[in-house]
């Protein structure tokens, strides 16, 4: 049976599922309820300087039937008194000594950092997370992402914290930067014990077409907010991979951004995270989602023979390469399973207008099922991605598997194409219809063969 316990940079937790610093961790009431439901840890809503919040605060991107596919906020750090938060941290730790309680912190001066680190420790926190990510409001006051975007400043503040910290220190990074490894390296050089990422991505989720103001609207005006939820997971996964693969960083990673299911969590873990943090999914569905997450993770680990989380961490990293290291001889071609095909022709339209005109129609009104024109299929995947029927279009390997050559190997051997007619150039033999064919009805050549 899989063991979900983790020891993250010295912070012990019954499972790798933590609540991210955000509204679900605003109070001891919520965190006790979450631990009772099964969450392993919680990063307290960021403690720091006094703030004033606005109303409204949240906006979202609803995509078709999915509400809150992307979520954004213009909220600041906690607006509850520091003393109340510290007292409640103490209470939670007394009631749940084996769960992880991490104090997220954000202040300005060295003296303030020293004081708040000691306060968080005295309250019994298991660790500290430095919030260098908030992309609105706090950055205008020189904190949050204003620090996360300046590796030298970030390193200095981490050093201030490390002067007094006796418990593990996690640095939470902002994704609003070109190269995430620069602040990650700075955190390492400053002496941090771990990294968490990502905080929210600077965004405008939409504009009210009547009042001409961005959402969320505050008295007829708006501002850029921080984007999160399912929409940001691909960006967060890539940044997690970048930090995990960088040989100079070498710190435990807590993965954040769009985690909603056990599968999302496993993806972060396979890319190098050893815990995950969740905000939007809990704001949407509540603490109860943890039951499915834990069960799913346990079952996945059992099915793969993983006994501990550590055994899974970074398992996908050796397979994440640079483009130049991919096998140029590997070739797949789309294949339609006629028995499953419902004749919607979405694949035809996608390939015809958005890819390589490699899907043909029979031209017979009684037969709506398309066919693949193999000579023109470049194996791009598009048709299989748009097809609404599971496993109806599959990508079938069509090279013989005997050859392996990468662009790097070719360029090192000076074996690169110099003209488009070159035998070594890709895409040869893949025909393109004549421009005027576009105006003919029905379309020739590939429209019914
Ligand atoms: C309303 C809201 C408030 C947040 N407040 C904080 C905060 O105080 N401190 C912090 O470090 N991150 C804060 N975050 C960012 C989250 O901790 C998290 O990094 C981000 O939402 C990505 O995770 P998700 O996709 O699971 O939401 C906040 C996010 C939201 C939506
Ligand atoms: S894989 Fe790409 S090129 Fe081939 S049929 Fe599908 S959409 Fe067209
Ligand atoms: S998208 Fe799938 S189901 Fe629709 S016609 Fe193409 S193969 Fe058939």
């Amino acid at each position: 049976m899989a063991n979900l316990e983790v020891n993250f940079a010295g912070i012990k937790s019954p499972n790798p599922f933590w609540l991210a610093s955000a509204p679900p961790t605003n109070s001891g009431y919520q965190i006790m309820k979450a631990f009772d439901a099964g969450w392993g840890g919680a990063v307290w809503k960021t403690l720091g300087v006094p703030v004033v919040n606005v109303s409204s605060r949240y906006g979202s991107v609803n995509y078709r039937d999915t509400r809150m596919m992307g979520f954004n906020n213009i909220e600041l750090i906690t607006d509850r008194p520091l003393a109340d938060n510290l007292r409640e941290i103490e209470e939670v730790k007394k009631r749940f000594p084996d769960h992880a309680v991490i104090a997220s912190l954000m202040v300005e001066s060295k003296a303030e950092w020293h004081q708040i680190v000691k306060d968080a420790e005295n309250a019994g926190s298991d660790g500290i997370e430095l919030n260098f990510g908030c992309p609105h409001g706090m950055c205008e006051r020189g904190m949050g992402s204003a620090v996360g975007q300046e590796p030298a400043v970030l390193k200095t503040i981490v050093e201030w914290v490390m002067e007094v910290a006796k418990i593990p220190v996690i640095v939470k990074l902002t994704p609003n930067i070109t190269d995430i490894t620069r602040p990650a390296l700075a955190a390492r050089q400053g002496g941090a014990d771990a990294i968490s990422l990502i905080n929210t991505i600077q965004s405008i989720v939409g504009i009210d077409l009547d009042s001409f103001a961005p959402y969320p609207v505050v008295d007829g005006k708006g501002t850029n907010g921080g984007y999160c939820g399912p929409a940001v997971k691909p960006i967060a996964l890539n940044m997690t991979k970048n930090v995990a693969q960088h040989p100079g960083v070498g710190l435990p990673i807590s993965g954040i951004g769009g985690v909603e299911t056990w599968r999302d969590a496993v993806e972060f873990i396979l890319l190098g995270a050893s815990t995950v943090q969740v905000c939007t999914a809990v704001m949407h569905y509540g603490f109860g989602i943890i039951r499915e997450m834990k069960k799913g993770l346990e079952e996945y680990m059992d099915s793969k023979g993983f006994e501990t989380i550590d055994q899974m961490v970074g398992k996908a990293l050796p397979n994440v390469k640079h483009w130049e290291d991919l096998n140029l001889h590997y070739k797949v071609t789309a294949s339609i399973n006629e028995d499953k095909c419902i004749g919607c022709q979405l694949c035809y339209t996608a390939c015809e207008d958005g890819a390589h005109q490699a899907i043909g129609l029979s031209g017979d009104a009684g037969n709506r099922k398309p066919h693949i024109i193999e000579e023109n299929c470049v194996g791009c995947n598009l048709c299989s991605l748009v097809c609404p029927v599971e496993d109806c279009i599959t990508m079938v390997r069509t090279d013989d598997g005997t050859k392996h050559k990468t662009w790097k190997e070719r360029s090192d051997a000076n074996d690169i194409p110099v003209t488009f007619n070159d035998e070594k150039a890709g895409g040869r033999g893949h025909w393109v219809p004549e421009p005027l064919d576009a105006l003919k009805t029905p379309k020739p050549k590939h429209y019914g063969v």
Side-chain angles (χ1 to χ4, degrees):
M1 181 74 174
N3 177 358
L4 298 192
E5 284 170 27
V6 288
N7 183 337
F8 181 83
I11 304 170
K12 292 193 179 135
S13 169
N15 63 57
F17 297 108
W18 293 359
L19 295 169
S21 174
T25 60
N26 204 30
S27 64
Y29 167 80
Q30 288 162 290
I31 292 177
M32 287 220 197
K33 197 172 165 193
F35 286 172
D36 195 40
W39 289 86
V43 185
W44 211 274
K45 174 76 186 166
T46 303
L47 316 176
V49 293
V51 297
V52 181
N53 267 308
V54 292
S55 160
S56 60
R57 294 177 207 176
Y58 306 150
S60 83
V61 174
N62 301 333
Y63 189 71
R64 305 244 163 95
D65 293 337
T66 307
R67 294 189 75 78
M68 279 169 61
M69 185 273 294
F71 186 64
N72 112 327
N73 83 91
I74 55 171
E75 180 175 296
L76 304 183
I77 60 176
T78 185
D79 48 17
R80 300 183 60 226
L82 180 63
D84 291 1
N85 280 308
L86 295 172
R87 180 176 43 75
E88 290 177 18
I89 290 177
E90 217 173 319
E91 269 184 59
V92 172
K93 270 316 293 181
K94 268 196 200 125
R95 185 69 183 77
F96 290 93
D98 299 330
H99 286 61
V101 175
I102 291 101
S104 168
L105 308 177
M106 184 200 286
V107 285
E108 224 174 332
S109 69
K110 184 173 177 174
E112 284 172 314
W113 275 109
H114 280 183
Q115 186 56 52
I116 201 159
V117 167
K118 287 180 197 158
D119 288 344
E121 283 178 353
N122 290 339
S125 312
D126 299 295
I128 288 166
E129 186 177 83
L130 313 183
N131 178 352
F132 295 147
C134 207
H136 47 265
M138 303 314 292
C139 51
E140 290 157 24
R141 292 168 64 174
M143 293 173 268
S145 64
V147 175
Q149 288 166 337
E150 292 293 341
V153 180
L154 183 150
K155 177 168 171 270
T156 302
I157 298 181
V158 175
E159 283 166 351
W160 293 347
V161 168
M162 299 318 290
E163 282 168 13
V164 292
K166 298 194 189 76
I167 53 178
V169 173
I170 307 165
V171 171
K172 182 170 180 180
L173 300 179
T174 176
N176 299 300
I177 188 160
T178 314
D179 180 0
I180 194 76
T181 63
R182 292 183 61 231
L185 274 170
R188 165 84 200 216
Q189 287 155 7
D193 299 293
I195 301 280
S196 60
L197 76 166
I198 58 173
N199 209 309
T200 52
I201 302 173
Q202 225 177 37
S203 61
I204 289 181
V205 285
I207 299 286
D208 183 330
L209 300 187
D210 296 318
S211 70
F212 313 133
Y215 296 115
V217 180
V218 182
D219 194 15
K221 303 278 184 280
T223 186
N224 57 273
Y227 201 41
C228 53
V232 309
K233 191 184 80 173
I235 296 157
L237 285 175
N238 185 49
M239 289 188 164
T240 300
K241 175 271 293 178
N242 287 346
V243 171
Q245 276 188 337
H246 197 294
V249 180
L251 294 176
I253 298 170
S254 189
I256 319 169
V259 177
E260 190 169 289
T261 66
W262 65 268
R263 282 177 178 276
D264 302 325
V266 169
E267 287 171 348
F268 275 94
I269 293 169
L270 295 176
L271 285 176
S274 33
T275 59
V276 291
Q277 299 184 27
V278 181
C279 162
T280 303
V282 165
M283 292 183 73
H284 199 165
Y285 303 111
F287 296 128
I289 60 171
I290 188 62
R291 283 186 288 277
E292 283 276 310
M293 291 173 112
K294 274 170 49 183
K295 193 159 176 292
L297 177 60
E298 265 166 6
E299 282 176 5
Y300 171 79
M301 288 173 68
D302 287 343
S303 74
K304 296 283 174 200
F306 293 123
E307 285 163 9
T308 63
I309 300 290
D310 276 350
Q311 290 174 358
M312 293 164 65
V313 173
K315 271 277 175 195
L317 289 174
N319 295 328
V320 189
K321 301 285 191 193
H322 293 293
W323 188 93
E324 64 176 10
D325 296 320
L326 302 177
N327 182 9
L328 298 170
H329 287 294
Y330 180 76
K331 169 100 171 95
V332 289
T333 305
S335 167
I336 297 176
N337 181 336
E338 279 201 22
D339 294 339
K340 293 194 170 183
C341 177
I342 56 170
C344 67
Q345 298 187 355
L346 284 171
C347 57
Y348 167 77
T349 305
C351 186
E352 172 69 12
D353 293 356
H356 295 90
Q357 301 80 49
I359 298 187
L361 300 178
S362 69
D364 164 8
N367 176 14
R368 290 186 50 84
K369 296 185 181 179
H371 56 267
I372 304 294
I373 303 166
E374 282 189 23
E375 67 191 275
N376 234 28
C377 176
V378 301
C380 72
N381 265 1
L382 180 65
C383 54
S384 70
L385 298 175
V386 300
C387 178
V389 182
E390 192 77 26
D391 292 333
C392 176
I393 300 185
T394 47
M395 304 305 295
V396 179
R397 185 167 189 174
T398 47
D399 70 299
D400 64 9
T402 58
K403 294 194 203 133
H404 187 284
K405 181 124 307 156
T406 65
W407 180 260
K408 180 151 193 334
E409 287 162 350
R410 283 179 64 155
S411 51
D412 286 351
N414 205 18
D415 178 29
I416 55 172
V418 285
T419 72
F420 286 97
N421 290 328
D422 197 312
E423 278 299 324
K424 290 173 260 168
R428 262 185 111 231
H430 152 254
W431 51 258
V432 173
E434 290 302 317
L436 281 176
D437 286 355
L439 309 181
K440 293 182 186 157
T441 307
K443 306 286 174 281
K445 208 164 181 180
H446 56 290
Y447 190 97
V449 174

